[in-house]
Amino acid sequence: MQSCKLTPEELKPSVYVLRLGHRPARDKRITTHVILVARAFGAKGVFIADVVDEKVKNSITKVLNSWGGKDYFIVDMGVNPVKLVNEWKKDGGCVVHLTMYGINIDDILDTIRNRCKNKILVIVGAEKVPRIFYELADFNVAIGNQPHSEVAALAIFLDRLWNGAELCLCFPDAKLVIEPSERGKKVRRIE
């Protein structure tokens, strides 16, 4: 018995994540977690600004091959972030920057849902985010106004955006699926 109810393609709008400031020597674990949360919470892919990190790419490829998503979830590294944001907006997409300095999610989420029906690019930073991204973003959104993790902010934003529907995702190409269990760990292999 599998508890999933929908495929990632059924979640609307389409959401992608732009990860700024990845430092391969320091951030590989956090960036990997940003990508894992993006995938598990229904995003269609992640763009890593400016750098290519083969260790992160290899780690995510293993997850996609086993747990699903390789047929639809993209990870694109070394992208020019300003160019990506400008092209995204020119193509009709919305840009949401998650920052503790923004407008509280509860005060802006309905506006985002109403204006961003097609596609959203969610920006999450690592180190200090350059001012240009605050200016280019359609929405600067705060998940609280205290220092916190970009991984947590992304998870909360996606969960609120889709009202929890993303927690029931099925990945049709998965080779491994978890069987819900009150106690213990049950993983089923799909041949």
Side-chain angles (χ1 to χ4, degrees), residues 1-97:
M1 178 179 114
Q2 197 172 355
S3 67
C4 63
K5 295 178 180 76
L6 71 151
T7 64
E9 292 80 15
E10 295 175 272
L11 287 173
K12 302 293 181 214
S14 294
V15 174
Y16 292 79
V17 176
L18 171 59
R19 168 73 161 146
L20 299 176
H22 173 69
R23 300 160 292 184
R26 291 185 56 184
D27 296 329
K28 62 182 156 266
R29 199 162 170 156
I30 292 293
T31 297
T32 299
H33 288 182
V34 165
I35 298 169
L36 291 174
V37 164
R39 178 200 157 273
F41 281 63
K44 305 290 190 284
V46 176
F47 302 100
I48 308 296
D50 300 320
V51 298
V52 174
D53 189 329
E54 290 300 327
K55 289 183 180 179
V56 170
K57 194 170 194 171
N58 291 339
S59 177
I60 295 305
T61 298
K62 289 177 188 175
V63 170
L64 294 173
N65 287 335
S66 295
W67 294 95
K70 71 179 186 300
D71 295 336
Y72 93 95
F73 188 86
I74 64 141
V75 178
D76 192 1
M77 297 186 171
V79 302
N80 178 318
V82 173
K83 183 179 177 185
L84 174 68
V85 169
N86 285 325
E87 288 174 358
W88 193 270
K89 291 176 71 160
K90 191 186 305 182
D91 195 35
C94 286
V95 177
V96 174
H97 172 216

Side-chain angles (χ1 to χ4, degrees), residues 93-152:
C94 286
V95 177
V96 174
H97 172 216
L98 300 182
T99 171
M100 66 184 186
Y101 304 105
I103 303 299
N104 189 285
I105 188 169
D106 291 336
D107 298 328
I108 198 74
L109 187 58
D110 287 338
T111 303
I112 292 170
R113 283 190 189 120
N114 289 331
R115 289 193 197 162
C116 305
K117 295 189 184 291
N118 186 25
K119 63 182 187 172
I120 298 174
L121 180 65
V122 178
I123 299 174
V124 295
E127 52 189 334
K128 186 174 178 176
V129 173
R131 178 126 193 97
I132 191 166
F133 295 103
Y134 289 86
E135 295 166 5
L136 288 173
D138 296 302
F139 303 97
N140 288 290
V141 177
I143 310 296
N145 297 112
Q146 296 294 319
H148 59 278
S149 163
E150 59 270 29
V151 178

